[in-house]
Amino acid sequence: MTAHVRVPRGLRLPSDVVSDAGRVAFLTDVIAGLSADPKRIPPKYFYDERGSQLFEAITRTPEYYPTRTELGILTEHAADIARVIPDGAAMIEFGAGALTKARILLAAAPVSVFVPVDISGDFLAGEAAKLAAELPDLTVRPVAADFTAPFALPAEAEQRPRVGFFPGSTLGNYEPHEAAAFLRHAGQIIGPGGRLIVGIDLVKDVDVLNRAYNDASGVTAAFNLNLLRRINRELGGNFDLDTFWHRAFYNREHHRIEMHLASRVRQRVRVDGRCFDFRRGETIHTESSYKYTTELFRALAAGSGWRLAETWTDRDGWFAVHALVRA
Ligand code: AVI
């Protein structure tokens, strides 16, 4: 994976940092996932270079509303969101990427120190340098780290009120228990009385949801199938991509979009010398994208040490930006 394309925060692998360890982890997860019933592979493996480019392309399809809707909310409500950020605060962005969304808040909020945290160190350093040149009054201190694990904050952020920023609805790609664990972890980094601004996709009309993950141009299908291409290339797999199809649908009971790769035929596939049998129609569950009503999100936050203080949405009520205060 190269870092010049935007990769969803928390879903990237440190493959540019630890390629051997990265391959072993990928192989271990794929073998375990294909041996499980039902079969599954974690969504973080979508994001090799091509997968990252395809995700970028998804965000530009007319059907995929989350990215542009969240940007619209941040732009329209920047001044109100800025009011929950204390004067002189240190803002910590979890999984920082190209800093597009942070720029909107930083232009409106009284932030003194900005700490973007991302595993792709080189890319992060470049983006942080650009931002520091644009905003000379802001102290920018990038941290190259896996933000889902404990990491040390720079000294400049220590004695300040802290605000976390986690846009993009990446929290929705975590299982609810993982989302709760992440919120608890963020609470430890932000500290008592701190704030967390989170972007999350809302439960909505099923057709809108289904269309967003089944775009007419087939970009999401290509994104999903690219995972098999990656397994073939990096793990010595022999998946025939023509014998699998992209299946995405909204699961009401679990309030999530599920993405699967479904086998068109009964077949046997090899990965790293191991065999895996597929029944006709059997699927690999490749991603869940949970959607939260504000009430569901309030409950998730409350159970993880946060109080939901304010919410901003778009006119259609499709996406939410929440401000949480550490309880
Ligand atoms: C990164 N994440 C928030 C996206 C989502 O909507 O769950 C990933 C994605 N999968 C298919 N389309 C987009």
Side-chain angles (χ1 to χ4, degrees), residues 37 41 57 77 87 112 122 125 134 151 155:
D37 187 16
I41 297 176
H77 299 284
D87 244 358
S112 296
D122 292 347
E134 279 168 38
F151 61 89

Side-chain angles (χ1 to χ4, degrees), residues 48 56 96 192 213 260 294 315:
D48 64 354
E56 191 72 32
Y213 293 82
H260 295 257
T294 298
R315 269 174 245 292

Side-chain angles (χ1 to χ4, degrees), residues 180-181 183-184 297-307:
L183 290 175
R184 276 193 292 274
F297 195 78
R298 189 192 305 281
L300 172 71
S304 320
W306 294 92
R307 177 175 62 81

